[in-house]
Amino acid sequence: IEWFDSNYMKLNGDKCHFLLAGLKNEQYFANVGDAKIWESNEEHLLVLTIDRNLKFNAHLTWLCKKVNQKVSALNRVSRYMTTEKRRILFKYFIESQFAYCPLVWMFHNKDLEHKINKLHERALRIVYNNDRLSFSELLTLDNSFTVHHKNIQALVIEIYKCIHDLSPSFMKEI
């Protein structure tokens, strides 16, 4: 509030969010300037949804729904294109959806992991027009990994960067 005042700006209470982490029975509010901001159960921040327990289940559920729509669209047009074109669409419009901020949401429950894998498998079946191969065989054919393994790889890369002073200083603190 002081920063806003010193820069001749007015705080817009409608754009402020209040999320208090942890389990509790009461709902709290904060007075920010002239605005009273009530606590939320979850908030949307730069496309990510986080809840009061610092979990991303709502975000992943939304993401799976979005990916499912794209897989369905790919299925509708797949017969009109080659395998290579289907693979390109899959990589850039479906698989890439799980590449946004994976280090933030990568630790989630098994049910969501299963849902993500089923979507991934369904998309690969459409890309390669194959209902006979197992999920691991489809991954081998695609020369790729599960979303979870890609997330672990991203985590290991970040750890490597921190150890070898290749990351910003704030990452070392995290």
Side-chain angles (χ1 to χ4, degrees), residues 78-158:
S78 65
R79 65 177 171 240
Y80 303 112
M81 52 183 70
T82 65
T83 301
E84 187 54 34
K85 297 223 187 233
R86 289 191 303 258
R87 187 171 186 273
I88 290 168
L89 284 176
F90 164 69
K91 292 288 180 192
Y92 290 104
F93 293 105
I94 296 170
E95 194 175 56
S96 66
Q97 296 295 304
F98 293 107
Y100 182 74
C101 296
L103 297 180
V104 174
W105 58 260
M106 71 182 285
F107 300 105
H108 49 274
N109 65 38
K110 291 285 184 190
D111 291 338
L112 286 169
E113 183 69 29
H114 179 72
K115 195 173 192 175
I116 291 167
N117 284 338
K118 282 296 173 192
L119 281 168
H120 194 180
E121 179 181 358
R122 182 173 156 230
L124 286 173
R125 289 196 184 287
I126 293 166
V127 167
Y128 293 104
N129 193 23
N130 191 313
D131 290 330
R132 295 180 313 276
L133 296 177
S134 69
F135 183 37
S136 22
E137 290 170 326
L138 286 167
L139 288 169
T140 303
L141 180 62
D142 191 55
N143 196 24
S144 68
F145 305 98
T146 64
V147 171
H148 181 67
H149 284 107
K150 288 178 185 178
N151 292 348
I152 290 172
Q153 183 182 35
L155 178 62
V156 170
I157 289 169
E158 282 304 318

